Each structure stands twice: as structure tokens, then as C-alpha cells.
Amino acid sequence: MAQTMKDILNRMLNHESLSREEMKEILVGITHSDYPNEQITALLTALQMRGVTVDELLGFRDGILETGVHAPLKCDRYIDVVGTGGDRKNTFNISTTSCFVIAGAGYKVAKHGNYAATSTSGASNVIAHHGIKFTNDIDRLNRSINECGIVYLHAQLFASAMKFVGPIRKALQFPTIFNLLGPIVNPSQPQCQLLGVANLDQMRLYNNVYQKIGIDYGIVNSIDGYDEISLTGDFKVTPDYQARGTGGWCH
């Protein structure tokens, strides 16, 4: 690497942004154990305090997808439903439940998730509790989505970096850039995604990210702070497809 982590951290202290390529190199370095946990902790904390840019988020995404295991699914069109977490509401895992409802309605779902890092329950906690054995066997994954309408992709089997930062995220006890990454590193690369975010700043961030990625998407946020569509207050959805007259985004 052209820059050491010390250089990177000094730039962060000066409120500088990192490029997409720099962030990708850092992520790859994490998977190679190039940095001690203390430096990774400092980086994650600095990013959280300053706020993550679109290119920084995309750079970490590039690194995770490059170093991870791909999951090509033989299915024409399917959706992932996921939330960023971090709303501190301690709800049940609503996005995972929604995936079962969507699959039951006849649509194809490729749910990507992990164990809880900052919330009460992650998607993998729910799935494992129901006796499902995680796998990255492509034949079994394709059989699941085509015969059952739904497949579960456990992040740690596909994204090497998640295993390296898991203990750090657990110790920090606050959301990090990896909470933001989870929704956009599905190893099957779905064409459609419905995302719940904890605040309007995240909604603006992901709106720009999804436009660069180039998939069909919807983003939801409840005004009362849930990263879901809430029954206790108004909510916002973007893009506003009704206003645009498209009539929907995933058929």
C-alpha cells in the first residue's frame, strides 16, 4: 500500500475523505490481517464520527465483493429485503419476517444477513434458531430459491472481512460502516432490493449509492426512528415511484 494506516488515520483526524480505491485497499488489507485491531477500531470510530461518504462506502463494498465468495443464482429476478439496523428499537427481526411473507406470496427472495452486532437479533440468529444449517454450496442455494422461493446467504460464509471485524464490532457496541455495508454486499448481487434505514441521512446516502450500483431499489424510513415501515407514525419511501408513474419496481 502507498499509505500506511497511520497516514490514513492522520488524514481522518484532518477531516479528509478517502477515495473509493483507498477504501478498497484498506478492506483487502483487513482480510490479510495487515492491521492490528486497535487501528481498525480507530478507523471505524473515526468514520462513524465524521460520517461515511458514498465513495468510501462503495470502496469497502468493492473490497468485500472482490475478496469474498460469489453466489450466482439461477433465477431470473429476485429481491433482498434488509435493514441497516442501528435504530436501537430492539424490535424483532422484521426484514427477515418480511422475506418469508414475500416468498409466500410467490416472489423469489435471496436474503443476506449476519449475526447481531449492535442489535438484539440479527437475521442469522433467527434463521439458525429455526434449525437451518448455513451453507455456501451453490447447488443447494439454487435448489432452495427455486423450490422454496427463498434462500438465505449467511454473510460470514461469503464475506471474509466480516469474520475479521466481528469481535471489534461487538466490542464497540455502536453501528459502524459495516452496518451500512451489509445491505449492499449480497454475494448473489440481486437486481432488486428493499432497504430500511434508521434516519434520513442514511436514506440520502443509499439513494446515491444505489444510483451508482444501478439496481432497482426502494428505501424506507419511519419518522419515529425505525428502520422499517412503522405502524406508529408516518414514513418516507424513496424513490417515489407513484409520483414518477412507474407503477412499481420489482415484478
Side-chain angles (χ1 to χ4, degrees), residues 154-203:
H154 177 52
Q156 293 184 17
L157 295 180
F158 299 91
S160 301
M162 296 296 187
K163 294 181 289 187
F164 287 86
V165 299
I168 296 173
R169 295 178 65 199
K170 197 74 174 177
L172 284 175
Q173 287 294 297
F174 58 75
T176 70
I177 187 175
F178 285 95
N179 288 82
L180 300 176
L181 276 168
I184 56 175
V185 293
N186 186 316
S188 72
Q189 298 295 278
Q191 308 93 331
C192 306
Q193 191 162 53
L194 179 61
L195 170 67
V197 296
N199 55 63
L200 295 181
D201 287 338
Q202 288 184 357
M203 178 172 280

Side-chain angles (χ1 to χ4, degrees), residues 13-232:
L13 289 173
N14 289 326
H15 306 285
E16 297 180 35
S17 297
L18 304 178
S19 71
R20 184 169 178 171
E21 186 59 31
E22 286 172 330
M23 291 294 283
K24 176 183 174 182
E25 289 180 356
I26 291 170
L27 193 286
V28 172
I30 289 173
T31 66
H32 292 165
S33 299
D34 288 344
Y35 316 114
N37 285 351
E38 292 81 0
Q39 289 186 336
I40 299 173
T41 300
L43 176 68
L44 297 181
T45 303
L47 285 168
Q48 189 67 17
M49 292 178 67
R50 191 255 283 152
V52 178
T53 68
V54 171
D55 281 343
E56 287 169 347
L57 190 57
L58 286 171
F60 257 32
R61 176 182 184 266
D62 293 341
I64 283 183
L65 293 178
E66 180 177 299
T67 59
V69 176
H70 298 285
L73 299 178
K74 298 176 182 178
C75 183
D76 290 338
R77 196 163 174 82
Y78 52 91
I79 188 172
D80 185 11
V81 181
V82 65
T84 58
D87 61 11
R88 301 187 183 277
K89 298 294 187 179
N90 293 324
T91 57
F92 69 93
N93 201 285
I94 298 171
S95 60
T96 305
T97 305
S98 300
C99 286
F100 288 111
V101 175
I102 293 168
Y107 296 91
K108 303 293 187 183
V109 181
K111 171 65 176 169
H112 176 241
N114 206 343
Y115 292 118
T118 57
S119 61
T120 303
S121 173
S124 290
N125 299 98
V126 175
I127 299 298
H129 187 75
H130 284 81
I132 302 300
K133 302 298 183 183
F134 301 136
T135 182
N136 58 7
D137 181 279
I138 300 302
D139 289 338
R140 290 181 62 186
L141 296 175
N142 273 294
R143 203 158 56 241
S144 179
I145 193 170
N146 285 299
E147 293 181 8
C148 304
I150 187 170
V151 63
Y152 187 72
L153 306 170
H154 177 52
Q156 293 184 17
L157 295 180
F158 299 91
S160 301
M162 296 296 187
K163 294 181 289 187
F164 287 86
V165 299
I168 296 173
R169 295 178 65 199
K170 197 74 174 177
L172 284 175
Q173 287 294 297
F174 58 75
T176 70
I177 187 175
F178 285 95
N179 288 82
L180 300 176
L181 276 168
I184 56 175
V185 293
N186 186 316
S188 72
Q189 298 295 278
Q191 308 93 331
C192 306
Q193 191 162 53
L194 179 61
L195 170 67
V197 296
N199 55 63
L200 295 181
D201 287 338
Q202 288 184 357
M203 178 172 280
R204 286 187 285 270
L205 174 66
Y206 279 110
N207 195 44
N208 290 323
V209 165
Y210 280 127
Q211 287 177 12
K212 286 196 173 186
I213 294 175
I215 65 173
D216 293 336
Y217 68 94
I219 309 172
V220 302
N221 166 257
S222 289
I223 303 304
D224 51 0
Y226 289 90
D227 64 332
E228 319 282 354
I229 291 178
S230 171
L231 299 178
T232 57

